[in-house]
Amino acid sequence: MSLHTDYEAVKRNGGIIDLSHRVKLAFTGADRVRYLNGQITARLDGRNGVLPTCVTTAKGKLCADVFVSTWQDYILLDADAAVADSLPARMEKYIVADDVALADFSAKTLLHCIGIAPAQIAEITQAMPSTRFGISGCDIQPFDHEAQPAIWEKLTARFAVVSEELAEVLRIEAGIPRWGFELNENTLPAEAGLDRTHVDFKKGCYIGQEVISRIKSVGHVNRALLGFLTPNRELLSPGSRISSMEDPAKNLGIITSAADSPALNRPIALGYLHRSAPNFGLMASAPDAPDAPVPIEITTLPFQKQN
């Protein structure tokens, strides 16, 4: 089947996204909620369900964008596999006198059910509401695949498995930044719009809070993650340099992700634009075709509003 056909099927009936490649850390101990609240930008109360948040440095830059889920016996923190070497050390560093233990759950299977409510799979396994891809769905409690293969078999017998390519399209349509594309260790949460979804500005102290709060009080950052469209419907290339027609030599930003959107029936892209850039007259030049710029238009995110 084509990507567009798979897209329509998932939007209609839901699907299963395998997130087992992500690094997964489980926290136990009486102080786990208090400890994690000192490490993440969102407010964790032990009953949140699946919570998008950030782990930041003292300078307010990202160590990782993560999801935190509260299960009966532990709190799970999961992040992109690219931070598998750095994130565990970062989290363990601040466990000093706390009653907290960290266990690596990365070998366990982690599934996200997109467009599927927990009640729909309650007879199969435990799940909680989650909107990882901007669409209402649920996360399944991590499990040992070898010990519980029936969970995977029962789910995939009822729902389609979402390919990595389709998951990427859904992510870009929802305007969700991804580590290694829109996010890295030099990113400030506000640049990627994570201050709107991942940060609680009323919670207590956490590492990086002072800088993140100061940025909010200033009211702007030097660049922002935006959506882009091409009037001529050309597919943009990640890594394309953004400039203006008036001053083609001046670098104003970069395209970070691109896809052909089934919902909009046209190419879409994510990218960063400097706050000094004009709102019109922009163009993107691909790395392999610097002399053939493509006109682009700014659009608000998300491209596709979800339920």
Side-chain angles (χ1 to χ4, degrees):
M1 291 192 295
S2 70
L3 182 67
H4 281 235
T5 301
D6 291 345
Y7 178 94
E8 292 301 328
V10 168
K11 280 300 189 76
R12 184 171 56 252
N13 301 318
I16 307 298
I17 300 178
D18 190 348
L19 301 176
S20 301
H21 59 279
R22 291 173 67 83
V23 56
K24 299 175 283 292
L25 306 176
F27 295 84
T28 56
D31 296 334
R32 60 185 183 272
V33 173
R34 183 186 62 78
Y35 163 76
L36 284 169
N37 269 321
Q39 307 301 317
I40 63 175
T41 58
R43 183 189 300 273
L44 179 66
D45 63 13
R47 302 183 302 274
N48 298 87
V50 182
L51 183 70
T53 185
C54 302
V55 177
T56 54
T57 68
K59 295 183 178 181
K61 294 185 177 182
L62 290 178
C63 295
D65 71 304
V66 305
F67 285 89
V68 178
S69 50
T70 302
W71 303 97
Q72 182 175 357
D73 299 321
Y74 61 89
I75 298 174
L76 185 78
L77 183 150
D78 70 88
D80 192 276
V83 298
D85 292 333
S86 59
L87 185 60
R90 159 65 175 80
M91 300 304 296
E92 195 167 23
K93 176 180 178 181
Y94 294 96
I95 300 176
V96 182
D98 304 277
D99 180 7
V100 176
L102 186 160
D104 190 348
F105 273 27
S106 296
K108 292 182 179 291
T109 297
L110 176 62
L111 303 178
H112 175 70
C113 302
I114 192 166
I116 301 168
Q120 291 178 259
I121 57 172
E123 77 281 7
I124 299 175
T125 186
Q126 184 177 354
M128 64 176 64
S130 172
T131 55
R132 287 177 183 260
F133 290 82
I135 301 172
S136 297
C138 63
D139 280 10
I140 290 174
Q141 184 171 11
F143 61 93
D144 295 317
H145 191 92
E146 293 181 359
Q148 298 170 288
I151 294 177
W152 172 261
E153 293 169 3
K154 289 178 180 178
L155 288 171
T156 55
R158 291 175 53 182
F159 305 103
V161 177
V162 178
S163 68
E164 185 175 341
E165 181 184 10
L166 179 51
E168 185 69 352
V169 170
L170 293 167
R171 175 189 76 83
I172 296 171
E173 281 189 346
I176 296 173
R178 178 182 175 186
W179 194 268
F181 292 76
E182 290 74 36
L183 307 175
N184 59 39
E185 65 277 359
N186 293 312
T187 306
L188 294 165
E191 294 175 328
L194 300 182
D195 56 329
R196 299 188 294 270
T197 56
H198 290 51
V199 179
D200 186 329
F201 287 98
K202 297 180 179 179
K203 67 170 287 187
C205 295
Y206 60 86
I207 296 169
Q209 182 189 32
E210 183 178 351
V211 175
I212 292 172
S213 296
R214 188 185 310 131
I215 290 172
K216 180 177 173 61
S217 65
V218 171
H220 69 262
V221 283
N222 289 330
R223 62 173 188 160
L225 183 67
L226 299 169
F228 296 94
L229 302 171
T230 54
N232 56 8
R233 295 178 177 266
E234 287 189 51
L235 185 63
L236 296 172
S237 300
S240 295
R241 185 178 68 89
I242 301 174
S243 59
S244 71
M245 296 179 183
E246 290 187 356
D247 188 0
K250 186 177 181 180
N251 186 10
L252 297 175
I254 188 171
I255 299 297
T256 53
S257 296
D260 189 4
S261 168
L264 277 64
N265 193 30
R266 65 183 301 178
I268 60 176
L270 299 176
Y272 282 102
L273 191 66
H274 194 274
R275 69 187 183 93
S276 66
N279 293 325
F280 55 88
L282 297 173
M283 56 187 184
S285 303
D288 58 352
D291 298 324
V294 176
I296 58 174
E297 299 173 349
I298 301 171
T299 187
T300 56
L301 295 174
F303 293 98
Q304 173 70 356
K305 294 189 181 299
Q306 310 293 352
N307 296 326

